[in-house]
Amino acid sequence: MPKTESLALTLERVLPFWETEIVPALKHRDCVLVAAHGNSLRALVKHLDDFADDEIMRVEIPTGRPLIYELDDRLRVERSYYL
C-alpha cells in the first residue's frame, strides 16, 4: 500500500468538494478562499485550467502566495494571477 496520495486520487477527493461546496458559493456570487495542501491545490488548478497530466506536473504553485482566479458566469477561467 502506498504511503502517499497520487494526484489522481487527490483529484477524486477534491472534485466532489468543488461541486458540493465551492460551486454553489460561487453561483451565489460569494467570494471563496481556498486554503489547502499543495497537492489539493494542484488538483484544483488542474481542474480549473484543464491541464493534461504531464502539464500540471510542470506547474509550480508557490507556498503562501495567493493565486486569484476570475471566473465567468459558467465558472470558466477568464483570468488567473498571483498577488
Side-chain angles (χ1 to χ4, degrees):
M1 176 182 272
K3 296 190 187 274
T4 61
E5 182 179 40
S6 70
L7 186 57
L9 290 174
T10 304
L11 195 57
E12 286 179 25
R13 183 170 50 83
V14 168
L15 286 183
F17 185 78
W18 165 259
E19 292 295 334
T20 62
E21 302 297 326
I22 299 173
V23 166
L26 293 172
K27 286 183 176 180
H28 190 258
R29 301 265 188 217
D30 292 338
C31 183
V32 176
L33 171 68
V34 176
H37 185 271
N39 214 35
S40 299
L41 293 174
R42 183 175 298 283
L44 191 53
V45 167
K46 180 183 184 337
H47 174 70
L48 289 172
D49 289 315
D50 197 29
F51 283 123
D53 292 343
D54 61 326
E55 291 175 307
I56 192 62
M57 299 316 290
R58 293 189 299 267
V59 173
E60 182 64 32
I61 302 173
T63 301
R65 189 165 175 210
L67 174 57
I68 309 297
Y69 274 90
E70 295 176 4
L71 307 174
D72 67 14
D73 290 337
R74 295 175 65 198
L75 302 181
R76 292 178 302 197
V77 176
E78 287 187 329
R79 180 177 172 216
S80 66
Y81 57 92
Y82 287 98
L83 284 183

